Amino acid sequence: MSILLQISDTHFGTEQVMVTEALVTLAHQQRPDLVVLSGDITQRARPAQFRAARAFVDRLGAPVLAVPGNHDIPLLDLWTRLRSPYERYSAAFGKDLEPVHCSHDLLVAGVNTTRPMRHKDGEISALQVDRVARLFERSEPAQLRVVVVHQPVAVARAEDVTNRLYGHEAALQSWAEAGVDLVMGGHIHLPYVIPLQGLARPIWAVQAGTAISSRVREGVPNSVNLLRWGADAAPGACQIEQWDYMAENRIFLLAKVSDIRLART
């Protein structure tokens, strides 16, 4: 069995201390095999914010696969944004902006969907789509096949349509044919799990809320996702748990469980 913990939109610089400590406690209790950090790690891409984020993930006790979000590129420092937009991110999380994690039962590929010339919108190129497809075409039957982006490939509310990733249609068609199971994202601070229609095989969009930031949406608490694959899930299924922060208890509690059936080839 493998456990994957998805943390998104931490926005260090706006983090809440009690929520942060509760998340560290949850990670120590659940002992994930991999932590996925799906972008907007910092609020303003400042060195001190990246250092705080790195210190936080080092406390989680698991390998971390991270991708940048639009907030992880300097916004107000235009010279750095244009000359070396990922320098501060790379100092904390490494120069590989599209890391891959491969184990017996997990294949997880990060995709950098940020663009320095865009303010917040995300984009995926044909080269990125092809690279990911080739990777998953070589996956093993036992592996859960996951792509990690920042901006969502699908939305649950009409007001979020403008936040969808540019190029998501072509990407999903290609990735479905290559055998991808899940596409994980963040950006809009709203957790949900929805099936994607009209593809060669089923793919699910798995979105995470903001993990520890004060920048929550109205009526939506801080939350993270736990994915279970293997012995603790039904055969051919992936269990996705949404854990919400309960302020009155100062802990993350299980709020929702989704058992999704995967098409295995």
Side-chain angles (χ1 to χ4, degrees), residues 20 93 101 140-141 174 205 212:
T20 303
F93 291 94
H101 172 89
E140 297 295 331
S174 175
I212 59 175

Side-chain angles (χ1 to χ4, degrees), residues 25-231:
T25 298
L26 177 66
H28 290 174
Q29 291 170 342
Q30 297 295 326
R31 301 178 64 185
D33 300 280
L34 178 69
V35 173
V36 164
L37 195 53
S38 46
D40 277 0
I41 300 167
T42 65
Q43 176 63 10
R44 283 290 173 257
R46 293 174 180 148
Q49 294 171 357
F50 276 118
R51 288 194 296 270
R54 182 72 249 182
F56 162 71
V57 300
D58 286 343
R59 297 175 62 198
L60 299 179
V64 174
L65 182 148
V67 296
N70 52 290
H71 277 261
D72 299 318
I73 300 174
L75 176 63
L76 304 177
D77 183 350
L78 295 180
W79 175 252
T80 302
R81 184 180 183 90
L82 297 176
R83 181 179 61 87
S84 52
Y86 300 106
E87 181 178 7
R88 297 172 184 175
Y89 174 92
S90 297
F93 291 94
K95 293 183 179 180
D96 188 356
L97 304 181
E98 299 187 314
V100 174
H101 172 89
C102 184
S103 66
H104 171 71
D105 52 3
L106 284 177
L107 181 57
V108 185
V111 182
N112 176 23
T113 57
T114 64
R115 298 293 186 267
M117 298 305 294
R118 293 187 181 274
H119 172 56
K120 65 183 182 70
D121 292 342
E123 180 181 344
I124 187 165
S125 69
L127 287 176
Q128 289 175 306
V129 171
D130 290 343
R131 177 187 63 82
V132 171
R134 289 195 299 271
L135 174 68
F136 284 94
E137 285 168 355
R138 301 191 299 271
S139 64
E140 297 295 331
Q143 290 176 317
L144 181 67
R145 308 155 193 169
V146 183
V147 177
V148 181
V149 295
H150 177 57
Q151 290 86 356
V153 296
V155 296
R157 299 182 182 182
E159 59 263 37
D160 294 320
V161 167
T162 57
N163 290 304
R164 281 186 302 185
L165 181 65
Y166 285 94
H168 69 274
E169 300 98 333
L172 292 174
Q173 291 290 350
S174 175
W175 296 346
E177 294 173 1
V180 169
D181 295 314
L182 312 173
V183 180
M184 306 180 76
H187 188 57
I188 56 176
H189 300 192
L190 185 66
Y192 53 84
V193 178
I194 56 176
L196 306 179
Q197 307 296 333
L199 302 174
R201 63 188 295 280
I203 292 183
W204 294 76
V206 180
Q207 286 288 127
T210 175
I212 59 175
S213 172
S214 60
R215 302 177 75 244
V216 294
R217 293 177 70 148
E218 184 176 358
V220 182
N222 295 101
S223 68
V224 298
N225 292 327
L226 272 170
L227 279 69
R228 302 184 191 275
W229 169 250

